């Protein structure tokens, strides 16, 4: 089996569902944010603060490039902004089956409130920020994904099971 890649907005459940999928299938689990933090020896918020967002985006692309040759049979959860670059969308699809985990603004807001670890959400008026980013990103998530799944009010194992059954239809 090739890789299963989970994309979607911050708080959509990529990491939780990814962990669950890896447990159920015995596949390895890899989270791009965790990998970047480990490699840089810095938290994401510190990378943004010290070097800025474009630097972080370059780290993401560089990691995806390397994963083309060193990652297989893995469940991969990627940072919410990863699919925004055209090159990243190509790289994601060449890694395997790309699944867009969709969540409503209400669900997202409930999950990301009071979370100081996500620099894209720092500042005033969280709701407006989330709304704007979701609007800007929606079409690109769809473009990157082989299929999408709604996650609102569904448990993590439920979503994980559906990811697997849908992915099988794509030959995974
Ligand atoms: C980001 C999402 C974060 C992380 C960084 C930027 C984004 O990952 O990569 O803070 O631009 O949406 P999660 O989606 O795992 O929160």
């Amino acid at each position: 089996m090739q890789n299963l890649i989970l994309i979607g907005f911050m708080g959509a459940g990529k990491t939780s569902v990814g962990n669950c999928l890896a447990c159920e299938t015995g596949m390895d689990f890899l989270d791009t944010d965790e990998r970047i933090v480990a490699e840089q020896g810095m938290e994401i918020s510190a990378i943004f603060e010290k070097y800025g967002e474009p630097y972080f985006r370059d780290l993401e692309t560089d990691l995806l490039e390397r994963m083309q040759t060193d990652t297989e049979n893995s469940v991969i959860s990627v940072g919410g902004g990863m699919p925004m670059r055209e090159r990243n969308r190509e790289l994601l699809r060449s890694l395997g089956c790309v699944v867009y985990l969709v969540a409503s603004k209400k669900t997202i807001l409930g999950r990301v409130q009071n979370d100081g670890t996500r620099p894209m959400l720092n500042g005033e008026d969280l709701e407006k920020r989330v709304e704007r980013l979701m609007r800007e990103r929606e079409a690109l998530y769809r473009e990157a994904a082989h299929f999408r799944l709604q996650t609102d009010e569904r448990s993590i194992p439920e979503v994980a099971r559906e990811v697997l059954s849908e992915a099988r239809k794509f030959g995974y």
Side-chain angles (χ1 to χ4, degrees), residues 18-151:
N19 264 307
C20 181
L21 270 168
C23 262
E24 299 261 318
T25 57
M27 291 162 82
D28 289 332
F29 176 68
L30 189 164
D31 180 278
T32 57
D33 283 341
E34 283 172 13
R35 180 67 70 87
I36 288 172
V37 167
E39 288 182 353
Q40 299 300 307
M42 284 171 95
E43 294 302 324
I44 304 285
S45 52
I47 299 173
F48 267 69
E49 205 171 304
K50 189 159 184 202
Y51 301 110
E53 185 185 345
Y55 181 85
F56 173 73
R57 299 301 174 199
D58 288 344
L59 292 177
E60 287 190 311
T61 303
D62 176 66
L63 176 56
L64 274 189
E65 299 269 10
R66 285 183 282 131
M67 283 164 61
Q68 306 297 311
T69 49
D70 70 8
T71 306
E72 57 181 17
N73 203 36
S74 298
V75 178
I76 305 164
S77 152
V78 309
M82 185 78 94
M84 298 307 105
R85 280 190 180 174
E86 188 181 354
R87 175 73 184 138
N88 292 357
R89 292 195 292 281
E90 283 166 15
L91 291 167
L92 287 167
R93 288 180 72 102
S94 81
L95 273 175
C97 183
V98 183
V99 185
Y100 171 22
L101 297 185
V102 184
S104 67
K105 185 180 82 180
K106 187 166 163 245
T107 300
I108 299 285
L109 280 172
R111 292 186 187 152
V112 302
Q113 220 121 40
N114 303 321
D115 177 358
T117 67
R118 291 180 164 113
M120 296 300 287
L121 300 179
N122 285 347
E124 276 164 33
D125 207 336
L126 178 66
E127 185 169 353
K128 277 220 177 81
R129 242 163 222 273
V130 166
E131 208 170 82
R132 179 178 54 80
L133 280 174
M134 284 179 87
R135 201 174 41 240
E136 283 171 9
R137 292 178 171 187
E138 172 66 13
L140 299 176
Y141 286 139
R142 285 176 185 240
E143 192 182 310
H146 290 94
F147 64 90
R148 60 183 190 276
L149 286 181
Q150 198 66 45
T151 64

